[in-house]
Amino acid sequence: MKNVTSLMLALLLQGFLFQTALAQEEKTVMVPLPSQDDFTRGEDGWALGLGLGIEYETAYEGSDEFGFEIDPAGALQWRRGDNIFYFAGEAFGWRGLRADTWLLEALVGFEEGREENDSDKGYLDGLGESDEGLELVLQARHAFTEDWRYWLVSRVVASENGNLGLFGVGRRFGDQLDGSGLEVNLVAVFHDSDYANNGFGITAQQSVASGLDETRISSGLRSVGIDFNYRHHINDSWQIYGEALYEHFSSDVRSSPIARSNYETEIGVGFIYVF
């Protein structure tokens, strides 16, 4: 009887250690969120993922014209513990995990301007080009549990053309800890008058050139929205991702002649190869 009891205890202990090791193997990303690229496989040092994505999206903010666009995907990353530095497209940034429930991020990126020929129907004729420039993005997510099932998110975008803030809640679906699965965020977006008028305002000079009414947008609520992020690991090297966004503009934004639609939306799919 004593031998049987010892054998059972040994089997239980072995099973517990196996499950613990399995869980540790599965958690190969800093946080298990499909929206967060992490190609490091849980190891310090350099990591690289490259791929392509195709998006079907509005031609410009407020447009009722849609089109396809092919963009590069992936990033070059360097990890040290719970910190990842990365270069992705036109952005360079840092992401760090603190106390297992705080994900902090800072990046410097390039903000694309708007051109008159972005509208095939000539809706932007006479408005000229909006300014391009650099933007600083600061973001924080706070999870309610260490498995990142639910969280709060906040983001601040500071640029030469004004400032924008985002606040929302998110949820992760699935039990995977490797960054695959589905993620959903509900957000409210606010902008100051400079940011609002860079996208939707019409000056007196632009009004004369375009024939559109002069428009001045006040600071405040810009939109409410929902976004989905999906990631699937085909094997150790290949990943498929998908994303979809719907943003419903506030009445103040919809009053602008530039906003020919009440919403902005996009959907995209792509693949990444992790080296």
Side-chain angles (χ1 to χ4, degrees):
M1 184 66 179
K2 181 178 180 181
N3 291 336
V4 173
T5 302
S6 299
L7 178 61
M8 291 180 63
L9 289 174
L11 290 173
L12 288 172
L13 179 60
Q14 182 179 4
F16 173 77
L17 293 175
F18 174 78
Q19 292 296 327
T20 302
L22 182 62
Q24 290 175 344
E25 288 180 2
E26 288 179 347
K27 191 174 181 180
T28 57
V29 292
M30 198 160 60
V31 289
L33 300 180
S35 62
Q36 304 298 306
D37 285 335
D38 187 346
F39 308 129
T40 64
R41 297 187 174 96
E43 299 178 358
D44 286 355
W46 291 99
L48 176 65
L50 293 177
L52 283 176
I54 182 170
E55 294 182 346
Y56 183 70
E57 60 184 354
T58 51
Y60 56 91
E61 291 184 340
S63 174
D64 59 358
E65 302 170 62
F66 291 82
F68 288 96
E69 183 175 349
I70 297 178
D71 293 312
L76 175 65
Q77 302 175 336
W78 184 79
R79 179 167 180 169
R80 182 73 173 180
D82 286 334
N83 298 279
I84 292 178
F85 296 87
Y86 60 88
F87 176 74
E90 298 176 334
F92 176 79
W94 160 84
R95 185 183 304 133
L97 181 66
R98 299 294 181 267
D100 292 325
T101 56
W102 283 96
L103 180 64
L104 307 178
E105 185 169 7
L107 69 89
V108 176
F110 183 74
E111 180 185 17
E112 295 183 357
R114 186 189 64 210
E115 301 179 356
E116 290 188 0
N117 60 13
D118 285 343
S119 173
D120 293 334
K121 298 180 180 179
Y123 295 141
L124 300 177
D125 291 352
L127 296 180
E129 298 181 0
S130 62
D131 294 333
E132 301 175 344
L134 295 176
E135 61 181 15
L136 172 66
V137 181
L138 303 175
Q139 179 170 273
R141 297 198 195 199
H142 177 58
F144 295 107
T145 56
E146 293 185 5
D147 64 356
W148 285 81
R149 182 67 60 189
Y150 300 94
W151 61 84
L152 299 175
V153 59
S154 62
R155 182 187 307 154
V156 175
V157 179
S159 73
E160 302 170 51
N161 300 316
N163 305 295
L164 178 143
L166 176 150
F167 306 93
V169 296
R171 188 187 194 284
R172 180 177 68 88
F173 297 88
D175 297 324
Q176 307 96 314
L177 297 176
D178 59 358
S180 63
L182 176 66
E183 169 190 333
V184 179
N185 293 274
L186 293 171
V187 299
V189 185
F190 301 84
H191 53 199
D192 65 13
S193 58
D194 288 339
Y195 198 99
N197 286 286
N198 184 64
F200 297 100
I202 300 174
T203 65
Q205 184 178 359
Q206 289 174 324
S207 177
V208 172
S210 66
L212 300 175
D213 292 337
E214 184 178 350
T215 303
R216 179 74 181 172
I217 307 295
S218 301
S219 60
L221 178 66
R222 169 192 171 94
S223 63
V224 293
I226 182 171
D227 68 77
F228 300 86
N229 287 273
Y230 175 78
R231 190 180 300 267
H232 174 68
H233 294 176
I234 301 175
N235 52 41
D236 288 342
S237 298
W238 287 99
Q239 300 180 6
I240 294 177
Y241 70 89
E243 53 189 7
L245 166 70
Y246 177 84
E247 182 181 10
H248 192 81
F249 295 127
S250 66
S251 58
D252 200 23
V253 171
R254 296 198 305 267
S255 67
S256 169
I258 296 175
R260 304 188 63 88
S261 176
N262 294 336
Y263 64 90
E264 180 178 358
T265 186
E266 66 179 59
I267 184 170
V269 294
F271 65 90
I272 295 175
Y273 182 83
V274 182
F275 292 85

